[in-house]
Amino acid sequence: MRGPATGPGREERAIDLRNYEITVGEILQNPKARAELGRRYPQVMGNPMLRRFSGMPLRQAMGFAQGFLPAAQIRQFVRELEKL
């Protein structure tokens, strides 16, 4: 675990992408990941379809996103997630 304590006796955990099998919903439960997604793609955070993708693995979501975003942009976002 790393990062500052977020409450008495609790610390934030580093996000584990589990070889890109982590779900979109699990990513969104991480406040830093959620903030990064909102900063980069505010239109996604406001999209009502986001809830429907919550059970989708990151690997599948990355493939879906390639229909809307350049692959390099997707890879950069994933690299940022790996740093969290």
Side-chain angles (χ1 to χ4, degrees):
M1 290 189 284
R2 66 181 181 169
T6 56
R10 294 188 302 175
E11 292 184 11
E12 285 187 24
R13 292 184 178 194
I15 193 166
D16 177 7
L17 301 182
R18 298 192 318 261
N19 202 29
Y20 306 137
E21 293 303 318
I22 188 172
T23 66
V24 171
E26 290 171 311
I27 292 170
L28 292 174
Q29 289 175 3
N30 180 298
K32 289 182 180 179
R34 187 177 186 87
E36 182 67 19
L37 181 64
R39 183 181 72 75
R40 287 178 177 263
Y41 310 108
Q43 69 278 14
V44 171
M45 295 304 292
N47 191 317
M49 293 294 289
L50 187 59
R51 180 182 288 186
R52 300 191 92 195
F53 291 109
S54 66
M56 182 182 289
L58 177 59
R59 181 179 312 282
Q60 186 178 355
M62 289 169 60
F64 178 79
Q66 286 184 1
F68 303 95
L69 299 169
Q73 215 176 53
I74 296 166
R75 285 191 304 272
Q76 178 61 36
F77 176 68
V78 171
R79 280 194 296 271
E80 289 300 318
L81 287 179
E82 290 171 336
K83 293 178 187 178
L84 298 180

